[in-house]
Amino acid sequence: MALDRSYDVIVVGGGAVGCAVGRELADDHEILVVERGEIGGGASGMAAGLTAPTLFAYDRPELARHANEFLREFSGTDGFDYDARPRLELAYPDEEAVAREQADRMASYGFPVSFVDSGTIAARHPALDVERFAGAIEIADAGFVDDTYVYTRSLARDAKSRGAEILTGVEVTGIATSDGSVVGVETPGGVIEAPHVVVATGWHARELLSDVVHVPTRPFLLQAASVALERGFGPDAPLGRLPAEGVYFRPQHDGNLRLGGGEYLVDDPADLAAGVEDAERVEAAMNETGRTAQEVIANGIDDTFEEQLREVAPLFVEEFSDPSEVEITAGWGSVDAATADGEPIVDEPRDAPDGLIVSTGFNGLGITKSPIAAAAVRSLVTGEDAPFDVEGFALDRLPDGTDFPLQDTFAMGRE
């Protein structure tokens, strides 16, 4: 593809957020999505796949409803299927009062949320052992994406069908500007021109934009694993988490169990950010084995997280009575960008060149919030009103420093 064509908007980054943005704008803009590797090859393609907009944004109901509606409506598009399931936030007896209060608060915003006792959970979901729990906050409008790599690539293909161009294997090395405005992106092959550039490159955004605007994010590691189950987790099994134990769970399409967590800040993310480097090889292995892209890559989890999973799984899975029975069949990790308050940056910063939009810092929720990012970016490009308030995503709400603790996904969504 020639690099001398100009576009209305260039989206840098072919993850779930970048592809969702490209798709959102493609019907009425000339769009180019540029990815230095493979579409879905980074953190988006290595995510665990749980979604729960209601949990993470119940107090911004228009935002949560927009994300929920998109995931359900996009299901069935170009090979992607969304599994709508209830989500259980398991609570120990000493957490019950707080959990009940939170369930009532979430329900007060009009969402299908309630506290269910352990007896009700056991009757509905016999694969779960919930004797040691008082019950759970049940969020009815949640779900999961079995393979987030497939989701991301479906977004890209749908964007392309709407007119967007997708350019892979090309690294954006800088933002081209003139007289204080964006004029395109710099690549080894020259400048590709556009008056708007959206940078959706996860933890790479801070370095890429260092010459034009300070992006106060920190890279952090997220880990996940597949666990074999002889009896299967059931076709109607819920997803959820044990917040007190720092582990979340969901069923897989093959009947096995997926567990996630193991989150911590990292100083040298490059060595931990392995993903899909050869889409043809990975997809061939997926078709041959029936496994997800994450299981095919299986770049490993650390010993501490592996031990944690073995200890936690017997706490809530009926099939396990001892850590020695927990068979981890694949494990992997990916790197995302964290912000100080756990909310993303989706903004055209005042201190940046005109036309530059930053979309990063999704704190491990890039799949859940990709529809939100897409709508927010559209409002910034077109001046249209977004279907929700975007003010909370402004970059200047954050402190300049990057020496902040991680607000991990277990802290988010809890009272």
Side-chain angles (χ1 to χ4, degrees):
M1 172 186 151
L3 297 180
D4 57 356
R5 179 181 170 184
S6 62
Y7 298 85
D8 296 327
V9 183
I10 295 173
V11 182
V12 186
V17 170
C19 291
V21 168
R23 177 191 176 279
E24 180 76 20
L25 294 169
D27 283 339
D28 52 2
H29 294 77
E30 294 292 321
I31 301 296
L32 175 68
V33 177
V34 185
E35 166 57 47
R36 69 177 185 173
E38 298 278 10
I39 295 296
S44 293
M46 299 293 285
L50 293 83
T51 68
T54 295
L55 173 64
F56 296 112
Y58 64 87
D59 55 350
R60 301 174 69 182
E62 296 85 2
L63 186 153
R65 291 191 179 101
H66 177 82
N68 275 325
E69 289 169 6
F70 177 87
L71 290 165
R72 285 161 173 74
E73 291 173 2
F74 190 65
S75 185
T77 302
D78 207 344
F80 167 69
D81 290 308
Y82 180 68
D83 288 85
R85 302 285 178 88
R87 175 168 177 143
L88 300 176
E89 297 285 298
L90 292 169
Y92 286 111
D94 62 352
E95 301 172 311
E96 180 177 0
V98 171
R100 286 183 178 276
E101 289 175 6
Q102 181 169 350
D104 290 344
R105 188 174 299 109
M106 295 171 75
S108 73
Y109 286 90
F111 292 109
V113 179
S114 61
F115 187 87
V116 292
D117 61 39
S118 58
T120 301
I121 297 170
R124 291 178 184 172
H125 307 294
L128 297 181
D129 175 5
V130 291
E131 286 187 0
R132 56 178 48 83
F133 299 97
I137 301 172
E138 183 180 63
I139 303 163
D141 58 349
F144 70 90
V145 176
D146 197 53
D147 193 329
T148 55
Y149 173 76
V150 172
Y151 170 64
T152 304
R153 292 179 77 85
S154 295
L155 285 170
R157 286 191 294 268
D158 199 38
K160 190 172 181 178
S161 75
R162 293 165 180 253
E165 294 191 43
I166 311 292
L167 181 61
T168 59
V170 173
E171 182 176 8
V172 170
T173 57
I175 307 301
T177 63
S178 178
D179 296 327
S181 297
V182 163
V183 296
V185 297
E186 299 169 355
T187 75
V191 173
I192 312 176
E193 296 182 350
H196 293 279
V197 171
V198 180
V199 175
T201 56
W203 63 272
H204 299 280
R206 180 179 169 189
E207 180 180 2
L208 175 61
L209 296 175
S210 60
D211 290 339
V212 292
V213 65
H214 174 58
V215 179
T217 59
R218 297 187 69 179
F220 75 106
L221 178 69
L222 306 90
Q223 302 178 82
S226 295
V227 173
L229 294 175
E230 289 185 5
R231 297 193 291 272
F233 211 46
D236 299 317
L239 62 150
R241 65 179 177 178
L242 290 72
E245 306 295 343
V247 170
Y248 46 82
F249 65 91
R250 71 162 176 86
Q252 296 185 167
H253 281 178
D254 61 8
N256 288 329
L257 175 67
R258 184 161 298 191
L259 301 176
E263 303 175 11
Y264 55 85
L265 293 163
V266 293
D267 294 324
D268 188 10
D271 293 339
L272 301 169
V276 178
E277 297 179 355
D278 184 338
E280 185 174 349
R281 180 189 67 80
V282 168
E283 290 176 16
M286 291 165 62
N287 291 332
E288 181 179 347
T289 64
R291 308 193 90 188
T292 62
Q294 304 83 50
E295 293 170 297
V296 169
I297 296 299
N299 60 355
I301 58 177
D302 61 43
D303 292 343
T304 299
F305 184 52
E306 181 172 341
E307 182 179 356
Q308 180 184 7
L309 295 185
R310 294 186 190 282
E311 294 289 338
V312 171
L315 298 179
F316 74 101
V317 179
E318 178 67 31
E319 186 170 310
F320 302 133
S321 59
D322 186 83
S324 64
E325 299 172 355
V326 179
E327 179 189 355
I328 296 174
T329 59
W332 58 92
S334 61
V335 177
D336 197 9
T339 60
D341 63 2
E343 291 292 335
I345 300 165
V346 187
D347 190 22
E348 188 172 11
R350 287 179 291 183
D351 295 337
D354 291 342
L356 177 66
I357 296 172
V358 182
S359 185
T360 187
F362 286 85
N363 298 270
L365 300 179
I367 303 299
T368 293
K369 294 188 175 181
S370 54
I372 295 166
V377 169
R378 181 176 181 86
S379 74
L380 294 170
V381 170
T382 66
E384 302 166 1
D385 289 336
F388 45 79
D389 181 11
V390 300
E391 188 173 324
F393 301 144
L395 186 151
D396 64 7
R397 78 181 192 275
L398 296 167
D400 288 339
T402 56
D403 186 22
F404 53 80
L406 177 63
Q407 171 113 285
D408 64 22
T409 57
F410 300 99
M412 290 185 283
R414 297 192 77 191
E415 294 296 328

Coordinates of all heavy atoms in Angstrom, one line a residue, residues 3-63:
L3 N 2.1 5.0 0.8 CA 2.1 5.8 2.0 C 1.8 7.2 1.7 O 1.8 8.0 2.6 CB 3.4 5.6 2.8 CG 3.7 4.2 3.3 CD1 5.0 4.2 4.0 CD2 2.6 3.7 4.1
D4 N 1.5 7.6 0.5 CA 1.3 9.0 0.1 C -0.2 9.4 0.1 O -0.5 10.5 -0.2 CB 2.0 9.4 -1.2 CG 1.5 8.5 -2.3 OD1 0.7 7.6 -2.1 OD2 2.0 8.7 -3.5
R5 N -1.1 8.5 0.4 CA -2.5 8.9 0.5 C -2.8 9.5 1.8 O -2.2 9.2 2.8 CB -3.3 7.6 0.3 CG -4.8 7.9 0.4 CD -5.7 6.6 0.2 NE -7.1 7.0 0.5 CZ -8.0 6.1 0.6 NH1 -7.7 4.8 0.4 NH2 -9.3 6.4 0.9
S6 N -3.7 10.5 1.8 CA -4.1 11.1 3.0 C -5.5 10.6 3.5 O -6.3 10.0 2.7 CB -4.2 12.6 2.9 OG -5.2 12.9 1.9
Y7 N -5.7 10.7 4.8 CA -6.9 10.2 5.5 C -7.6 11.2 6.3 O -6.9 12.2 6.7 CB -6.6 8.9 6.3 CG -6.0 7.8 5.5 CD1 -4.7 7.8 5.2 CD2 -6.8 6.8 5.0 CE1 -4.1 6.7 4.4 CE2 -6.3 5.8 4.2 CZ -5.0 5.7 3.9 OH -4.5 4.7 3.1
D8 N -8.8 11.0 6.7 CA -9.4 11.9 7.7 C -8.9 11.6 9.1 O -8.6 12.5 9.9 CB -10.9 11.7 7.7 CG -11.6 12.1 6.4 OD1 -11.1 13.0 5.7 OD2 -12.6 11.4 6.0
V9 N -8.7 10.3 9.4 CA -8.3 9.9 10.8 C -7.4 8.7 10.6 O -7.7 7.8 9.9 CB -9.5 9.5 11.7 CG1 -9.0 9.2 13.1 CG2 -10.5 10.6 11.7
I10 N -6.2 8.8 11.3 CA -5.3 7.6 11.4 C -5.4 7.1 12.8 O -5.3 7.9 13.8 CB -3.9 8.0 11.1 CG1 -3.8 8.4 9.6 CG2 -3.0 6.8 11.4 CD1 -2.4 8.9 9.2
V11 N -5.7 5.8 13.0 CA -5.8 5.2 14.3 C -4.5 4.4 14.5 O -4.3 3.5 13.7 CB -7.0 4.3 14.5 CG1 -7.0 3.7 15.9 CG2 -8.3 5.1 14.2
V12 N -3.7 4.7 15.5 CA -2.5 4.0 15.7 C -2.7 2.9 16.8 O -3.0 3.2 17.9 CB -1.3 4.9 16.2 CG1 0.0 4.2 16.2 CG2 -1.2 6.1 15.2
G13 N -2.6 1.7 16.4 CA -2.8 0.6 17.3 C -4.0 -0.3 16.9 O -5.1 0.2 16.7
G14 N -3.7 -1.6 16.7 CA -4.7 -2.5 16.2 C -5.2 -3.5 17.2 O -5.4 -4.7 17.0
G15 N -5.4 -3.0 18.5 CA -6.0 -3.8 19.5 C -7.5 -3.5 19.5 O -8.1 -2.9 18.6
A16 N -8.2 -4.0 20.5 CA -9.6 -3.9 20.6 C -10.1 -2.4 20.5 O -11.1 -2.1 19.9 CB -10.2 -4.6 21.8
V17 N -9.4 -1.6 21.3 CA -9.8 -0.2 21.3 C -9.6 0.5 19.9 O -10.4 1.1 19.4 CB -9.0 0.6 22.4 CG1 -9.2 2.1 22.3 CG2 -9.5 0.1 23.8
G18 N -8.4 0.3 19.4 CA -8.1 0.9 18.1 C -9.0 0.4 17.0 O -9.5 1.2 16.2
C19 N -9.3 -0.9 17.0 CA -10.2 -1.4 15.9 C -11.6 -1.0 16.1 O -12.4 -0.8 15.2 CB -10.1 -3.0 15.9 SG -8.5 -3.6 15.3
A20 N -12.1 -0.9 17.4 CA -13.4 -0.4 17.7 C -13.5 1.1 17.2 O -14.6 1.5 16.7 CB -13.7 -0.5 19.1
V21 N -12.5 1.9 17.5 CA -12.5 3.3 17.0 C -12.6 3.3 15.5 O -13.4 4.1 14.9 CB -11.3 4.0 17.5 CG1 -11.1 5.4 16.8 CG2 -11.3 4.2 19.0
G22 N -11.7 2.5 14.8 CA -11.8 2.5 13.4 C -13.1 2.2 12.8 O -13.6 2.8 11.9
R23 N -13.7 1.2 13.4 CA -15.1 0.7 13.0 C -16.1 1.8 13.2 O -16.9 2.0 12.3 CB -15.4 -0.5 13.7 CG -16.8 -1.0 13.4 CD -17.2 -2.1 14.4 NE -18.6 -2.6 14.2 CZ -19.7 -1.9 14.6 NH1 -19.5 -0.8 15.4 NH2 -20.9 -2.4 14.4
E24 N -16.0 2.5 14.3 CA -17.0 3.5 14.7 C -17.0 4.7 13.7 O -18.0 5.2 13.4 CB -16.7 4.0 16.1 CG -17.7 5.1 16.6 CD -19.0 4.6 17.0 OE1 -19.1 3.4 17.2 OE2 -20.0 5.4 17.0
L25 N -15.8 5.0 13.1 CA -15.7 6.2 12.3 C -15.7 5.8 10.8 O -15.8 6.7 10.0 CB -14.3 6.9 12.6 CG -14.2 7.5 14.0 CD1 -12.7 7.9 14.2 CD2 -15.1 8.7 14.1
A26 N -15.6 4.6 10.4 CA -15.4 4.2 9.0 C -16.6 4.5 8.1 O -16.4 4.7 6.9 CB -15.1 2.7 9.0
D27 N -17.8 4.6 8.6 CA -18.9 4.8 7.7 C -18.9 6.2 7.1 O -19.4 6.3 5.9 CB -20.2 4.6 8.5 CG -20.6 3.2 8.7 OD1 -20.1 2.3 8.0 OD2 -21.4 2.9 9.7
D28 N -18.3 7.2 7.8 CA -18.4 8.5 7.2 C -17.0 9.2 7.3 O -17.0 10.5 7.2 CB -19.5 9.3 7.9 CG -19.3 9.3 9.4 OD1 -18.4 8.7 10.0 OD2 -20.2 9.9 10.1
H29 N -16.0 8.5 7.4 CA -14.6 9.1 7.4 C -13.7 8.1 6.6 O -13.9 6.9 6.6 CB -14.1 9.3 8.8 CG -14.8 10.3 9.6 ND1 -16.0 10.0 10.2 CD2 -14.5 11.6 10.0 CE1 -16.4 11.1 10.9 NE2 -15.5 12.1 10.7
E30 N -12.6 8.7 6.1 CA -11.5 7.9 5.5 C -10.6 7.5 6.6 O -10.0 8.4 7.2 CB -10.8 8.8 4.4 CG -11.6 9.1 3.2 CD -12.0 7.9 2.4 OE1 -11.1 7.0 2.3 OE2 -13.1 7.8 1.9
I31 N -10.6 6.3 6.9 CA -9.9 5.8 8.1 C -8.7 4.8 7.8 O -8.9 4.0 6.9 CB -10.9 5.0 9.0 CG1 -12.1 5.9 9.5 CG2 -10.2 4.4 10.3 CD1 -11.7 7.1 10.3
L32 N -7.6 5.0 8.4 CA -6.5 4.1 8.4 C -6.2 3.6 9.8 O -5.9 4.4 10.7 CB -5.3 4.7 7.7 CG -4.0 3.8 7.7 CD1 -4.2 2.7 6.8 CD2 -2.8 4.7 7.3
V33 N -6.2 2.3 10.0 CA -5.7 1.7 11.3 C -4.3 1.2 11.0 O -4.1 0.3 10.1 CB -6.6 0.6 11.8 CG1 -6.1 0.0 13.0 CG2 -8.0 1.2 12.0
V34 N -3.3 1.6 11.8 CA -1.9 1.2 11.6 C -1.5 0.4 12.8 O -1.6 0.9 13.9 CB -1.0 2.4 11.4 CG1 0.4 1.9 11.1 CG2 -1.5 3.3 10.3
E35 N -1.0 -0.8 12.5 CA -0.5 -1.7 13.6 C 0.9 -2.2 13.2 O 1.1 -2.7 12.1 CB -1.5 -2.8 13.8 CG -1.0 -4.0 14.6 CD -0.6 -3.6 16.0 OE1 -1.3 -2.9 16.7 OE2 0.5 -4.1 16.4
R36 N 1.8 -2.1 14.2 CA 3.2 -2.5 13.9 C 3.3 -4.0 13.8 O 4.3 -4.5 13.2 CB 4.1 -1.9 14.9 CG 4.0 -2.4 16.3 CD 5.1 -1.8 17.2 NE 5.1 -2.4 18.5 CZ 6.0 -2.1 19.4 NH1 7.0 -1.2 19.1 NH2 5.9 -2.6 20.6
G37 N 2.4 -4.7 14.5 CA 2.5 -6.2 14.4 C 1.3 -6.7 13.8 O 0.9 -6.4 12.6
E38 N 0.6 -7.6 14.5 CA -0.7 -8.3 14.0 C -1.9 -7.6 14.7 O -1.8 -7.2 15.8 CB -0.7 -9.8 14.3 CG 0.5 -10.5 13.6 CD 0.1 -10.9 12.1 OE1 -0.8 -10.4 11.6 OE2 0.9 -11.7 11.6
I39 N -3.0 -7.5 14.0 CA -4.2 -7.1 14.6 C -4.6 -8.1 15.7 O -4.6 -9.3 15.6 CB -5.4 -7.1 13.6 CG1 -5.1 -6.0 12.5 CG2 -6.7 -6.8 14.3 CD1 -5.1 -4.6 13.0
G40 N -4.8 -7.5 16.9 CA -5.1 -8.3 18.1 C -3.9 -9.0 18.6 O -4.0 -9.9 19.5
G41 N -2.7 -8.6 18.2 CA -1.5 -9.4 18.6 C -1.0 -9.0 20.0 O -0.1 -9.7 20.5
G42 N -1.4 -7.9 20.6 CA -0.9 -7.5 21.9 C -1.9 -7.9 23.0 O -2.4 -9.0 23.1
A43 N -2.0 -7.0 24.0 CA -2.8 -7.2 25.2 C -4.2 -7.6 24.9 O -4.8 -8.5 25.6 CB -2.8 -6.0 26.1
S44 N -4.8 -7.0 23.9 CA -6.2 -7.3 23.6 C -6.4 -8.8 23.2 O -7.4 -9.4 23.7 CB -6.7 -6.5 22.4 OG -6.8 -5.1 22.8
G45 N -5.5 -9.3 22.4 CA -5.6 -10.7 22.0 C -5.2 -11.7 23.1 O -5.4 -12.9 22.9
M46 N -4.7 -11.2 24.2 CA -4.2 -12.1 25.3 C -5.1 -11.9 26.6 O -4.7 -12.4 27.6 CB -2.8 -11.8 25.6 CG -1.8 -12.1 24.4 SD -1.7 -13.8 24.0 CE -0.7 -14.4 25.4
A47 N -6.2 -11.2 26.5 CA -7.0 -11.0 27.6 C -7.8 -12.2 28.1 O -8.0 -13.1 27.3 CB -8.0 -9.8 27.3
A48 N -8.3 -12.2 29.3 CA -9.1 -13.3 29.8 C -10.5 -13.3 29.3 O -11.1 -14.4 29.4 CB -9.0 -13.3 31.3
G49 N -11.1 -12.2 28.9 CA -12.3 -12.2 28.2 C -13.6 -11.9 29.1 O -14.7 -12.0 28.5
L50 N -13.5 -11.7 30.4 CA -14.7 -11.3 31.2 C -15.1 -9.9 30.9 O -14.3 -9.0 30.7 CB -14.4 -11.5 32.7 CG -14.1 -12.9 33.2 CD1 -12.6 -13.2 33.0 CD2 -14.4 -12.9 34.7
T51 N -16.4 -9.7 30.8 CA -16.9 -8.3 30.6 C -18.0 -8.1 31.7 O -18.8 -9.0 32.0 CB -17.5 -8.1 29.2 OG1 -18.7 -8.9 29.1 CG2 -16.5 -8.5 28.1
A52 N -18.0 -6.9 32.2 CA -19.1 -6.5 33.2 C -19.1 -5.0 33.2 O -18.7 -4.4 34.2 CB -18.7 -7.1 34.5
P53 N -19.6 -4.3 32.2 CA -19.8 -2.9 32.3 C -20.5 -2.4 33.5 O -20.2 -1.4 34.1 CB -20.5 -2.5 30.9 CG -20.1 -3.6 30.0 CD -20.0 -4.9 30.9
T54 N -21.6 -3.1 33.8 CA -22.4 -2.7 35.0 C -21.6 -2.7 36.3 O -21.7 -1.7 37.1 CB -23.6 -3.7 35.2 OG1 -24.4 -3.6 34.0 CG2 -24.4 -3.3 36.4
L55 N -20.7 -3.7 36.5 CA -19.9 -3.7 37.7 C -19.0 -2.5 37.7 O -18.8 -1.8 38.8 CB -19.1 -5.0 37.7 CG -18.0 -5.1 38.8 CD1 -18.7 -5.1 40.2 CD2 -17.2 -6.3 38.6
F56 N -18.3 -2.2 36.6 CA -17.3 -1.1 36.6 C -17.8 0.3 36.4 O -17.0 1.2 36.5 CB -16.2 -1.5 35.6 CG -15.5 -2.8 36.0 CD1 -15.6 -3.9 35.2 CD2 -14.7 -2.9 37.1 CE1 -15.0 -5.1 35.5 CE2 -14.1 -4.1 37.5 CZ -14.2 -5.2 36.7
A57 N -19.1 0.4 36.0 CA -19.6 1.7 35.7 C -21.0 1.9 36.0 O -21.8 2.7 35.4 CB -19.3 2.0 34.2
Y58 N -21.5 1.2 37.1 CA -22.9 1.3 37.4 C -23.4 2.7 37.8 O -24.5 3.1 37.6 CB -23.3 0.3 38.5 CG -22.6 0.6 39.9 CD1 -23.2 1.5 40.8 CD2 -21.4 0.0 40.2 CE1 -22.6 1.8 42.0 CE2 -20.8 0.3 41.4 CZ -21.4 1.2 42.3 OH -20.8 1.5 43.5
D59 N -22.4 3.5 38.3 CA -22.8 4.9 38.7 C -22.7 5.8 37.5 O -22.9 7.0 37.7 CB -21.9 5.4 39.9 CG -20.4 5.3 39.5 OD1 -20.0 4.6 38.5 OD2 -19.6 5.8 40.3
R60 N -22.4 5.3 36.3 CA -22.5 6.1 35.1 C -23.3 5.2 34.1 O -22.8 4.6 33.2 CB -21.1 6.3 34.5 CG -20.2 7.1 35.5 CD -18.8 7.2 35.0 NE -18.7 8.1 33.8 CZ -17.6 8.4 33.1 NH1 -16.4 7.8 33.5 NH2 -17.6 9.2 32.1
P61 N -24.6 5.1 34.4 CA -25.5 4.1 33.8 C -25.5 4.2 32.2 O -25.6 3.2 31.6 CB -26.8 4.3 34.4 CG -26.8 5.7 35.0 CD -25.4 5.9 35.4
E62 N -25.5 5.4 31.7 CA -25.5 5.5 30.2 C -24.3 4.9 29.6 O -24.4 4.2 28.5 CB -25.6 7.0 29.8 CG -26.9 7.7 30.2 CD -26.8 8.3 31.6 OE1 -25.7 8.1 32.2 OE2 -27.8 8.8 32.1
L63 N -23.1 5.0 30.3 CA -21.9 4.4 29.8 C -22.0 2.9 29.8 O -21.6 2.2 28.9 CB -20.7 5.0 30.6 CG -19.3 4.7 30.3 CD1 -18.4 5.8 30.8 CD2 -18.9 3.3 30.9

